[in-house]
Amino acid sequence: MTYGAGCLCGAVRFTIDAEPMAARTCWCRLCQYLGGGTATANICFPSDKVTRTGELTFHDSVADSGNTIRRGFCPTCGTPATSEALSRPHLIFLRIGTLDDPDLMGPQATIWTEAAPEWACISSEIPNYPAQVPPVA
Protein backbone atom coordinates (compact mmCIF):
# COMPACT_ATOMS: atom_id res chain seq x y z
CA MET A 1 0.00 0.00 0.00
CA THR A 2 1.20 3.54 -0.72
CA TYR A 3 0.25 6.48 1.46
CA GLY A 4 0.63 10.21 0.97
CA ALA A 5 1.34 13.13 3.26
CA GLY A 6 2.18 16.79 2.92
CA CYS A 7 2.23 20.26 4.36
CA LEU A 8 -0.59 22.80 4.50
CA CYS A 9 0.44 24.71 1.37
CA GLY A 10 1.36 21.63 -0.70
CA ALA A 11 4.99 22.64 -1.28
CA VAL A 12 6.19 19.47 0.49
CA ARG A 13 4.81 16.02 -0.29
CA PHE A 14 5.69 12.57 1.02
CA THR A 15 5.10 9.16 -0.53
CA ILE A 16 5.19 6.28 1.93
CA ASP A 17 5.64 2.71 0.69
CA ALA A 18 5.26 0.89 4.01
CA GLU A 19 2.77 0.20 6.74
CA PRO A 20 3.19 2.33 9.86
CA MET A 21 5.34 0.83 12.59
CA ALA A 22 3.85 2.74 15.54
CA ALA A 23 2.07 5.93 16.48
CA ARG A 24 2.38 7.92 19.69
CA THR A 25 1.25 11.11 21.30
CA CYS A 26 4.14 12.95 22.98
CA TRP A 27 3.91 15.52 25.76
CA CYS A 28 7.63 16.25 26.11
CA ARG A 29 8.36 19.94 26.50
CA LEU A 30 9.79 20.26 22.97
CA CYS A 31 6.68 18.67 21.45
CA GLN A 32 4.54 21.12 23.42
CA TYR A 33 6.36 23.93 21.60
CA LEU A 34 5.80 22.19 18.26
CA GLY A 35 2.15 21.55 19.05
CA GLY A 36 1.46 25.12 20.14
CA GLY A 37 0.91 24.03 23.74
CA THR A 38 -0.50 20.55 23.18
CA ALA A 39 1.07 17.17 22.55
CA THR A 40 2.20 16.11 19.09
CA ALA A 41 0.75 13.04 17.36
CA ASN A 42 3.46 11.15 15.47
CA ILE A 43 3.56 8.09 13.24
CA CYS A 44 6.69 6.05 12.49
CA PHE A 45 7.84 4.54 9.19
CA PRO A 46 11.09 3.02 7.92
CA SER A 47 12.99 6.02 6.55
CA ASP A 48 14.01 4.18 3.38
CA LYS A 49 10.32 3.77 2.50
CA VAL A 50 9.50 7.50 2.66
CA THR A 51 10.34 9.80 -0.23
CA ARG A 52 9.90 13.56 -0.26
CA THR A 53 9.38 16.19 -2.91
CA GLY A 54 9.88 19.82 -1.93
CA GLU A 55 12.27 21.34 0.55
CA LEU A 56 12.15 21.26 4.33
CA THR A 57 13.94 23.49 6.80
CA PHE A 58 15.53 21.58 9.67
CA HIS A 59 16.12 22.33 13.33
CA ASP A 60 18.26 20.09 15.54
CA SER A 61 17.78 19.96 19.31
CA VAL A 62 18.40 17.63 22.22
CA ALA A 63 15.19 16.00 23.43
CA ASP A 64 14.33 15.18 27.04
CA SER A 65 15.45 11.62 26.22
CA GLY A 66 18.98 12.91 25.53
CA ASN A 67 18.71 12.10 21.82
CA THR A 68 19.54 14.68 19.18
CA ILE A 69 16.40 15.12 17.11
CA ARG A 70 16.21 16.71 13.67
CA ARG A 71 12.79 18.19 12.97
CA GLY A 72 11.65 19.24 9.51
CA PHE A 73 9.29 22.12 8.71
CA CYS A 74 7.89 23.52 5.49
CA PRO A 75 9.73 26.83 4.98
CA THR A 76 6.71 28.31 3.19
CA CYS A 77 3.77 27.55 5.48
CA GLY A 78 5.58 26.43 8.65
CA THR A 79 3.92 23.02 8.95
CA PRO A 80 5.89 20.76 11.33
CA ALA A 81 6.32 17.59 9.27
CA THR A 82 9.10 15.26 10.45
CA SER A 83 11.19 14.13 13.40
CA GLU A 84 14.26 11.93 13.16
CA ALA A 85 16.53 10.80 15.98
CA LEU A 86 20.07 11.09 14.61
CA SER A 87 20.93 7.89 16.52
CA ARG A 88 18.26 5.96 14.57
CA PRO A 89 18.49 7.06 10.93
CA HIS A 90 16.47 4.03 9.81
CA LEU A 91 13.27 5.57 11.27
CA ILE A 92 11.29 8.69 10.45
CA PHE A 93 8.31 10.10 12.31
CA LEU A 94 5.74 12.15 10.44
CA ARG A 95 3.14 14.28 12.18
CA ILE A 96 -0.15 12.41 11.87
CA GLY A 97 -1.80 15.65 10.76
CA THR A 98 0.34 15.67 7.60
CA LEU A 99 -1.12 12.35 6.39
CA ASP A 100 -3.65 12.47 3.58
CA ASP A 101 -5.58 9.97 5.72
CA PRO A 102 -5.08 10.94 9.38
CA ASP A 103 -7.11 7.85 10.35
CA LEU A 104 -4.37 5.56 8.99
CA MET A 105 -3.25 4.84 12.57
CA GLY A 106 -4.07 6.68 15.74
CA PRO A 107 -1.72 6.89 18.70
CA GLN A 108 -1.10 3.58 20.44
CA ALA A 109 0.51 5.19 23.49
CA THR A 110 1.13 8.55 25.12
CA ILE A 111 4.67 9.35 26.26
CA TRP A 112 6.25 12.01 28.48
CA THR A 113 3.06 12.46 30.53
CA GLU A 114 5.17 13.75 33.46
CA ALA A 115 5.88 16.86 31.38
CA ALA A 116 2.23 17.49 30.47
CA PRO A 117 0.48 20.50 32.01
CA GLU A 118 -2.19 19.81 34.60
CA TRP A 119 -4.98 20.65 32.12
CA ALA A 120 -3.77 18.14 29.48
CA CYS A 121 -6.34 15.71 28.13
CA ILE A 122 -4.58 12.34 28.19
CA SER A 123 -6.54 9.32 27.00
CA SER A 124 -6.98 6.48 29.46
CA GLU A 125 -7.87 4.22 26.51
CA ILE A 126 -4.20 3.73 25.51
CA PRO A 127 -1.05 3.13 27.59
CA ASN A 128 0.54 6.20 29.19
CA TYR A 129 4.21 6.52 30.13
CA PRO A 130 5.80 9.22 32.29
CA ALA A 131 8.89 9.46 30.07
CA GLN A 132 10.49 7.88 27.00
CA VAL A 133 9.73 4.30 26.00
CA PRO A 134 12.11 1.94 24.19
CA PRO A 135 12.66 2.66 20.48
CA VAL A 136 10.25 1.25 17.91
CA ALA A 137 13.11 -0.55 16.14
Side-chain angles (χ1 to χ4, degrees):
M1 201 94 190
T2 300
Y3 304 104
C7 67
L8 176 65
C9 72
V12 178
R13 290 292 304 159
F14 298 92
T15 301
I16 306 150
D17 290 316
E19 294 298 318
M21 299 171 71
R24 298 177 181 152
T25 305
C26 181
W27 276 100
C28 80
R29 214 34 209 122
L30 294 177
C31 281
Q32 290 178 49
Y33 282 102
L34 292 170
T38 65
T40 59
N42 311 288
I43 189 165
C44 184
F45 296 97
S47 57
D48 64 349
K49 301 295 183 187
V50 178
T51 57
R52 182 186 82 226
T53 58
E55 295 300 317
L56 290 175
T57 296
F58 295 96
H59 181 299
D60 292 358
S61 59
V62 177
D64 290 341
S65 64
N67 294 316
T68 299
I69 306 295
R70 175 165 290 150
R71 293 181 174 87
F73 305 83
C74 173
T76 303
C77 66
T79 299
T82 65
S83 288
E84 299 172 80
L86 298 186
S87 62
R88 291 186 289 284
H90 60 289
L91 302 175
I92 186 168
F93 284 84
L94 299 179
R95 299 291 176 260
I96 291 176
T98 66
L99 295 172
D100 294 345
D101 178 6
D103 286 321
L104 175 62
M105 176 185 278
Q108 301 164 313
T110 300
I111 61 175
W112 286 102
T113 57
E114 72 181 13
E118 290 181 19
W119 52 260
C121 295
I122 298 173
S123 174
S124 60
E125 301 294 315
I126 58 175
N128 293 283
Y129 301 95
Q132 187 66 32
V133 295
V136 172

